[in-house]
Amino acid sequence: MNIVLHTLTEVEAVRGSAGCFQVTVNELPRYVDMDKCIACGLCAAKCPRRVDDAFNRGLSKRKAAYVRYPQAVPLKYAIDAEHCLYFEKGKCRACEKFCPAGAIDFSQQAKRHEINVGALVLALGLKPFDPQRCGEYGYGKFRNVVTSMEFERLLSSTGPSQGRLKRPSDGKEPGRIAFLQCVGSRDRNHAYCSSVCCMVSMKEAMIAREHARHDLDAAIFFMDIRTHGKEFESYRQRAEKEAGIRFIRSRIHTLEPAGRNSEDLKLVYVDEEGRIRSEIFDLVVLSVGLEVPEDTVKIAERLGIALDPDGFAETGCTSPACTSIPGIYVCGGFSGPKDIPQSVVEASAASSQCAALLKDSRHALTRKKTYPDERSVHGEPPRVGVFVCHCGVNIGSVIDVPAVRDYAQTLPGVVHVSDPMFTCSQDTQD
């Protein structure tokens, strides 16, 4: 393969020009030998330290020895030095004691690499708006006010509640859910539309109705519904007419408790006829906008990339993948909020720009893949390897994978069995 992954790595400096860049990167220590780690998860199982799981938006806990999410690439564990008991107090090292592959290495240090490349593609992404900056919505104050990203994890089969619809305060299944649009979008500080929020709320409302054991009342409070993608408007009509999701044109200005000791929430709003109305909801989902992370702005400053007034990479209307620096291209959310299909299109455009720039050097550094020499096995007994995939909860929650593995071991000709977590991943296959 001609792809080299540098994980846990920060860009420190970029020098040179189009066709000949020198990139200085700082690779932070993982404290796990990636060549030895088999992603068995025993280090996490034995680790005594529990911290908030950022992937689940703090709705669940993870260990200080962890993999960020089940299908991370590469599928290798890491030690969180900020929360590890060994780095805090100089003792523990349970992960090192129980690791069957001897992969734990607390002696690892940061490494600096100098990489020569012909072009750069910045796919730096976005971050969700923090609604605590808008105190009127009660986020962080009322337990049943969550963000759209948190609600996404609550609906996921790999989330903190395994996809069962529960509200954070008491685990009760909500009967009425309100979605509030444009939280951190189209306001004084974020004049732009975040593009994806309308469809996100519709999708989450539809999935919530599928997961609910009883009839769920879902209401979306909006300024404008923007369904600009292919067949998006038909999806909106299906949500409203077939699923019964209510669309209410009104911007909620404040939330308050439904009662003195109630975890429910009261929304007061003005409808399109100018009448003041109020409703009680079990759960409120804030459809948060998207903005440029501070770290991304710092990288842009190091590279000298021009930014627009909202902090996104400045590009031309006829060259959406080109930045202000020749040879440095951009794709995805760094050039403006967008959904996955458009990000994929832009990624193809950026790679095509790189190919055009470097066409004269094409294949100059290609490495030839080598394979072991073949030999005749005629007359030898068969040697069968069996690999049974857990596939997370997709298979593991239905099939007793360890029992299947143990049974396969008893079959004639089987000399090796294992039950990797994700057999389809490239890391497992390697």
Side-chain angles (χ1 to χ4, degrees):
M1 294 175 65
N2 290 319
I3 298 174
V4 178
L5 293 176
H6 291 271
T7 60
L8 299 177
T9 300
E10 300 172 345
V11 176
E12 290 190 342
V14 175
R15 299 177 299 278
S17 57
C20 185
F21 288 106
Q22 295 82 44
V23 183
T24 303
V25 298
N26 185 36
E27 182 181 351
L28 302 176
R30 178 182 290 267
Y31 305 111
V32 174
D33 189 324
M34 293 177 63
D35 293 330
K36 295 180 179 179
C37 178
I38 58 176
C40 65
L42 199 58
C43 57
K46 299 298 183 181
C47 177
R49 191 63 179 271
R50 293 169 60 83
V51 299
D52 288 341
D53 185 353
F55 181 67
N56 276 329
R57 316 304 297 178
L59 296 172
S60 63
K61 299 289 186 180
R62 64 161 172 83
K63 299 297 186 68
Y66 73 107
V67 61
R68 185 166 186 180
Y69 52 91
Q71 289 185 309
V73 177
L75 189 57
K76 307 292 182 182
Y77 277 72
I79 306 298
D80 183 354
E82 291 185 8
H83 299 99
C84 176
L85 289 175
Y86 171 69
F87 287 103
E88 283 186 359
K89 302 179 179 180
K91 56 184 179 181
C92 183
R93 302 180 77 135
C95 53
E96 184 180 48
K97 177 181 177 181
F98 290 99
C99 178
I104 307 300
D105 182 5
F106 287 110
S107 67
Q108 286 186 359
Q109 301 291 325
K111 300 177 183 177
R112 185 169 278 100
H113 304 279
E114 297 286 341
I115 306 173
N116 295 317
V117 297
L120 288 87
V121 176
L122 303 180
L124 303 177
L126 299 166
K127 73 169 185 178
F129 173 77
D130 181 5
Q132 283 190 311
R133 289 150 61 182
C134 299
E136 62 269 22
Y137 293 117
Y139 180 76
K141 177 181 178 183
F142 304 134
R143 292 192 291 173
N144 291 326
V145 176
V146 300
T147 68
S148 49
M149 290 293 291
E150 291 169 348
F151 193 60
E152 184 80 16
R153 295 310 304 153
L154 289 171
L155 293 173
S156 174
S157 61
T158 61
S161 58
Q162 288 78 50
R164 288 184 286 274
L165 194 56
K166 297 180 179 180
R167 68 177 190 171
S169 65
D170 51 16
K172 185 182 82 173
E173 180 179 303
R176 307 190 75 205
I177 302 177
F179 295 83
L180 308 190
Q181 301 305 107
C182 298
V183 178
S185 289
R186 304 181 67 193
D187 57 24
R188 291 181 178 179
N189 297 318
H190 303 83
Y192 56 87
C193 170
S194 290
S195 179
V196 301
C197 317
C198 291
M199 295 306 298
V200 166
S201 289
M202 279 184 250
K203 182 204 74 170
E204 290 183 345
M206 295 275 273
I207 294 177
R209 284 183 61 85
E210 293 173 1
H211 287 208
R213 292 175 295 179
H214 309 289
D215 190 30
L216 174 68
D217 176 23
I220 297 177
F221 292 84
F222 68 96
M223 294 170 60
D224 296 294
I225 291 293
R226 295 185 170 182
T227 52
H228 53 80
K230 182 179 180 181
E231 298 184 356
F232 283 8
E233 179 59 25
S234 62
Y235 187 87
R236 180 258 169 92
Q237 293 175 4
R238 190 161 71 249
E240 185 173 13
K241 296 177 181 178
E242 297 179 16
I245 296 169
R246 294 188 293 141
F247 289 81
I248 303 171
R249 187 186 294 275
S250 182
R251 186 150 190 172
I252 304 298
H253 63 81
T254 187
L255 299 179
E256 58 186 39
R260 185 172 183 180
N261 297 314
S262 175
E263 294 280 5
D264 297 340
L265 297 154
K266 181 181 179 181
L267 275 64
V268 180
Y269 64 94
V270 178
D271 65 17
E272 291 190 76
E273 283 73 39
R275 294 170 296 191
I276 297 177
R277 296 187 177 276
S278 65
E279 293 190 47
I280 306 297
F281 291 92
D282 303 312
L283 183 69
V284 173
V285 180
L286 304 180
S287 189
V288 292
L290 302 170
E291 59 185 3
V292 179
E294 293 80 3
D295 291 345
T296 295
V297 175
K298 292 179 182 178
I299 293 175
E301 291 173 348
R302 289 176 197 154
L303 273 58
I305 299 294
L307 303 177
D308 68 16
D310 294 312
F312 300 105
E314 196 172 80
T315 60
C317 61
T318 59
S319 53
C322 298
T323 68
S324 59
I325 305 294
I328 301 181
Y329 306 102
V330 64
C331 65
F334 183 38
S335 60
K338 56 184 64 72
D339 60 5
I340 294 172
Q342 190 174 347
S343 297
V344 172
V345 170
E346 287 189 359
S348 297
S351 64
S352 297
Q353 293 278 9
C354 293
L357 173 67
L358 305 175
K359 62 182 184 301
D360 295 336
S361 302
R362 192 171 180 81
H363 303 305
L365 299 176
T366 301
R367 291 175 290 177
K368 187 176 180 180
K369 193 169 185 177
T370 59
Y371 298 91
D373 294 333
E374 293 184 359
R375 67 180 183 84
S376 174
V377 294
H378 178 71
E380 296 183 12
R383 295 176 56 81
V384 180
V386 178
F387 303 86
V388 189
C389 180
H390 281 269
C391 199
V393 296
N394 291 336
I395 294 175
S397 64
V398 181
I399 303 297
D400 187 348
V401 174
V404 175
R405 174 202 63 199
D406 295 341
Y407 173 73
Q409 181 73 72
T410 67
L411 298 177
V414 174
V415 298
H416 176 82
V417 297
S418 68
D419 53 340
M421 185 61 70
F422 295 104
T423 308
C424 61
S425 74
Q426 187 63 50
D427 288 302
T428 301
Q429 293 179 27
D430 289 342

